[in-house]
Amino acid sequence: MAQMKWWGWGDEGVAFTHEDKPALAPFIHRHIGLDVTTSSSTHTGFEALDLPEPTLPPALRADLEAAVGEQYVSADPLDRLVRARGKCLRDLVRHRAGDIGRIPDVVVRPGSEDDLTAILRAALEADAVVIPFGGGTNISGSLEAPDGETRPVVSVDVARMDRVLEIDEGSGIARVQPGVLGPSLEAQLNARGWTIGHFPDSFTHSTLGGWIATRSSGMQSDKYGDIADLTRAVRVVTPTGTLVTRPVPHTSTGPSVREMVLGSEGRLGIISEATVHVHRVPEKRVILGYLFPDWERALAAMHDIAASDAAPSVTRVSDSWETQFSFATRKDPTPIDRAKSKALTTYLERRRGYDLERMCLAFIGYEGTKDHVARQRKLAGKIVSTHGGLGIGASPGELYDQKKFDTPYIRDWLLDRGALADVSETSAPWTLLPVVYANATTAARQAFADLGVRGYVMCHLSHSYHAGACLYFTFAFVPSGTREPIEEYDVVKTAIQQSFVDSGATLSHHHAVGTEHAQWLEQDISAPGVAMLQALFDGIDPGANLNPGKIVGSHRSRV
Ligand SMILES: Cc1cc2nc3c(=O)[nH]c(=O)nc-3n(C[C@H](O)[C@H](O)[C@H](O)COP(=O)(O)OP(=O)(O)OC[C@H]3O[C@@H](n4cnc5c(N)ncnc54)[C@H](O)[C@@H]3O)c2cc1C
């Protein structure tokens, strides 16, 4: 399989473009003063990079080759570079600038759990650092070896372990290897009529093992659950042997060892297999678009839907800022589209009293039998109307569904043009969501003002639960040019993250801790909570060989 770009998102040759979206360039210029029609900066070429020679003791190399076979042990510079970091903004900015950090000395590609056991044994004997690698898509600094690490660094890429091993059709669970990428997992399950129902926006390039190790959430989590709910059991190769939990629906065996593995970011061992929930591929799947007069009423509607008998698969609503951005990314509309759109806006303004500047776009997804979908639509539709909302049919939802795996390319497109864009996401109880929203957007705008830059911040609610929901913020700005861009990025990102924990929300709903969010962990889970995690990692891994410095025990590495 082709390698992911080392300097950006996704596949070589695939890129975002504004050229088929006539409203986008003026929109961006209006809001952050960026002229996107000229591309000013680009990344350092691979040939110009100063890649250090690997420091791999011959005995360790021989043991790794004995473990997996010579052809699966690579010190190739590109192999090592691609696995050095994930895809957070800091990773991209540094890589693009030719600052590649402490890249792994070797990439090992196991084919089985026995291979993993042999790799770990060899690495621990040599006092090497072991960093499991899935798809490399994390955005929390979960992969990078600590700066100045003097021990050999072994990246364990589990991509060869990519099979669905067994489907227990009677129980709706499947045993799956950790290295399977989203599309391959779905293809293997779909071939037998099943789906996992886990579709993060990074689906095309992320793996089951990575999802588990970061506590990931997919778009349809309202129906299927987050990866933490979907993962019934794990097998993990640890320094003290293979940890095995049973795929039971619930258990009373003390603190959950399965939960300890969820979100462990490679600090407890290498996940070699998981048993996950699978569901029959639904007869019907539809995502419908809705409009709300404002954010307050949109939030209230989402809360009422979560508290009702309706069970949609997706609930997602954008604030007015994200709504306007979404409209600006529409492809060139046909004359009929334009006429329809004009008729709709006239109707909304004149008949419904909408202020188009405050209007919010929502998507609600329904899955199941035709009858189930019809009933759900009716239930949710009634709640939407109660809050002044209006259904606008299937086409906006279809468009969103199609383009969601393309949007990750936008960040590179903006970086090419000298702008920084990133995300911060959190979750909070329903009653706190309006406060969290107000505090985070105020914090971001204050940070832009303090820096003297023009910035844009927008938000959507997604992943609804009984007790609350996730708020997902996206921000972008053009750096002032007076400081290092990444320093200015830190000011904005820190302001938003700090506002989360100060408002009673969590440091991340589904992007994990890594090194990027580690500084807020104690405020989030309290000092005894951090001490408990530290004791767990120290107990399992006394030599700090397993992905050291992630979650606890390190400060974020800075440019
Ligand atoms: C554009 C974009 C969109 C995204 N959208 C979403 C989204 O919608 N939802 C979401 O949840 N996340 C999202 N993410 C974040 C990211 O995709 C997730 O964190 C994902 O779960 C990482 O999986 P991966 O296979 O790429 O893991 P990697 O990045 O390779 O690794 C992540 C961590 O898991 C560890 N790890 C990986 N495999 C194993 C294993 N077998 N055993 C033990 N540890 C392991 C690694 O050591 C590392 O600490 C997005 C990221 C980007 C860049």
Side-chain angles (χ1 to χ4, degrees):
M1 203 194 139
Q3 305 253 36
M4 172 93 104
K5 285 172 195 161
W6 61 268
W7 51 269
W9 175 258
D11 302 322
E12 288 289 352
V14 183
F16 181 83
T17 176
H18 63 282
E19 276 161 21
D20 53 353
K21 304 169 192 79
L24 187 58
F27 180 89
I28 292 178
H29 192 257
R30 192 162 62 249
H31 287 287
I32 60 171
L34 178 73
D35 176 6
V36 299
T37 55
T38 53
S39 167
S40 55
S41 66
T42 182
H43 59 85
T44 310
F46 179 71
E47 302 71 27
L49 294 174
D50 185 15
L51 290 163
E53 285 300 312
T55 51
L56 189 64
L60 174 56
R61 180 168 191 125
D63 285 349
L64 294 174
E65 287 179 359
V68 296
E70 201 179 325
Q71 70 273 39
Y72 296 121
V73 177
S74 167
D76 173 74
L78 184 58
D79 273 352
R80 292 163 52 217
L81 181 63
V82 167
R83 285 158 190 81
R85 290 180 176 137
K87 298 295 172 196
C88 72
L89 189 83
R90 192 184 315 281
D91 296 335
L92 300 185
V93 167
R94 287 181 302 171
H95 257 128
R96 281 169 163 254
D99 166 6
I100 55 168
R102 175 64 175 96
I103 72 170
D105 295 298
V106 66
V107 176
V108 190
R109 296 181 164 93
S112 67
E113 188 175 280
D114 287 347
D115 288 2
L116 286 175
T117 306
I119 291 169
L120 194 56
R121 191 182 308 121
L124 292 179
E125 268 171 25
D127 192 21
V129 164
V130 173
I131 306 183
F133 183 91
T137 67
N138 75 84
I139 42 179
S140 293
S142 306
L143 277 175
E144 184 176 2
D147 221 14
E149 175 62 66
T150 52
R151 299 172 291 178
V153 176
V154 181
S155 171
V156 181
D157 182 340
V158 293
R160 288 172 63 216
M161 299 174 68
D162 66 349
R163 283 183 307 125
V164 172
L165 299 171
E166 183 191 357
I167 301 179
D168 173 351
E169 303 210 348
S171 308
I173 50 178
R175 287 175 48 223
V176 186
Q177 292 186 306
V180 68
L181 290 164
S184 167
L185 173 58
E186 271 306 290
Q188 293 180 60
L189 292 174
N190 289 176
R192 294 180 52 188
W194 296 88
T195 177
I196 189 172
H198 184 75
F199 301 102
D201 290 357
S202 57
F203 175 77
T204 49
H205 292 80
S206 56
T207 64
L208 175 65
W211 299 338
I212 295 171
T214 57
R215 297 189 79 102
S216 160
S217 298
M219 191 174 78
Q220 275 99 310
S221 70
D222 287 26
K223 175 178 168 71
Y224 296 102
D226 302 305
I227 203 69
D229 308 306
L230 292 171
T231 305
R232 276 283 53 78
V234 285
R235 292 179 69 93
V236 186
V237 174
T238 79
T240 50
T242 301
L243 163 71
V244 182
T245 67
R246 296 184 173 200
V248 289
H250 187 262
T251 175
S252 182
T253 46
S256 167
V257 170
R258 179 188 63 90
E259 279 274 340
M260 290 176 198
V261 172
L262 283 155
S264 58
E265 300 187 35
R267 294 223 48 184
L268 296 175
I270 309 168
I271 299 159
S272 53
E273 188 182 307
T275 304
V276 293
H277 288 178
V278 289
H279 293 255
R280 283 285 178 202
V281 174
E283 184 186 343
K284 192 167 167 68
R285 176 166 182 263
V286 59
I287 298 186
L288 298 182
Y290 298 87
L291 292 172
F292 286 93
D294 54 45
W295 177 241
E296 291 72 22
R297 278 180 272 188
L299 282 194
M302 294 301 137
H303 184 187
D304 281 358
I305 290 172
S308 75
D309 287 341
S313 54
V314 179
T315 44
R316 179 186 160 116
V317 60
S318 298
D319 69 358
S320 60
W321 303 89
E322 195 175 273
T323 299
Q324 287 170 31
F325 174 75
S326 294
F327 289 151
T329 59
R330 268 189 310 201
K331 293 206 172 155
D332 208 356
T334 63
I336 295 176
D337 291 336
R338 264 192 228 117
K340 273 193 199 158
S341 179
K342 180 86 193 114
L344 178 62
T345 50
T346 309
Y347 170 75
L348 288 170
E349 283 183 310
R350 297 219 182 126
R351 294 283 177 83
R352 305 289 296 248
Y354 274 42
D355 170 355
L356 297 185
E357 295 288 306
R358 301 188 66 209
M359 183 171 74
C360 295
L361 175 65
F363 297 112
I364 305 180
Y366 310 93
E367 292 183 23
T369 60
K370 280 189 192 132
D371 286 352
H372 175 84
V373 167
R375 195 174 116 73
Q376 299 304 315
R377 279 179 68 164
K378 213 165 155 190
L379 284 171
K382 264 193 193 156
I383 296 171
V384 168
S385 317
T386 313
H387 293 278
L390 176 78
I392 51 170
S395 36
E398 279 163 13
L399 201 64
Y400 164 73
D401 212 17
Q402 283 159 16
K403 71 177 186 187
K404 66 179 184 285
F405 297 139
D406 297 333
T407 40
Y409 290 93
I410 294 185
R411 212 164 33 147
D412 295 319
W413 175 81
L414 284 169
L415 278 170
D416 282 341
R417 286 154 179 82
L420 302 180
D422 200 25
V423 298
S424 267
E425 41 74 58
T426 187
S427 78
W430 287 109
T431 46
L432 280 187
L433 288 179
V435 177
V436 175
Y437 173 79
N439 290 350
T441 48
T442 304
R445 291 184 184 121
Q446 186 59 52
F448 296 142
D450 292 347
L451 291 168
V453 298
R454 289 182 66 191
Y456 197 77
V457 60
M458 58 192 190
C459 174
H460 64 255
L461 173 149
S462 52
H463 312 288
S464 293
Y465 304 86
H466 167 75
C470 165
L471 289 181
Y472 191 106
F473 296 83
T474 305
F475 58 92
F477 67 98
V478 183
S480 67
T482 57
R483 305 173 204 83
E484 280 297 322
I486 206 74
E487 282 176 27
E488 297 192 339
Y489 160 76
D490 271 333
V491 170
V492 182
K493 170 88 180 174
T494 301
I496 297 175
Q497 288 288 140
Q498 190 61 48
S499 82
F500 291 165
V501 288
D502 288 348
S503 314
T506 185
L507 60 80
S508 169
H509 168 265
H510 59 259
H511 284 162
V513 184
T515 51
E516 287 289 317
H517 299 141
Q519 63 172 300
W520 291 283
L521 189 63
E522 187 172 318
Q523 294 172 68
D524 192 324
I525 66 169
S526 79
V530 173
M532 246 182 230
L533 286 181
Q534 187 73 66
L536 174 66
F537 298 147
D538 290 347
I540 299 293
D541 177 31
N545 298 94
L546 296 173
N547 205 8
K550 311 306 174 323
I551 308 175
V552 293
S554 109
H555 296 292
R556 184 176 64 202
S557 48
R558 285 172 181 275
V559 168

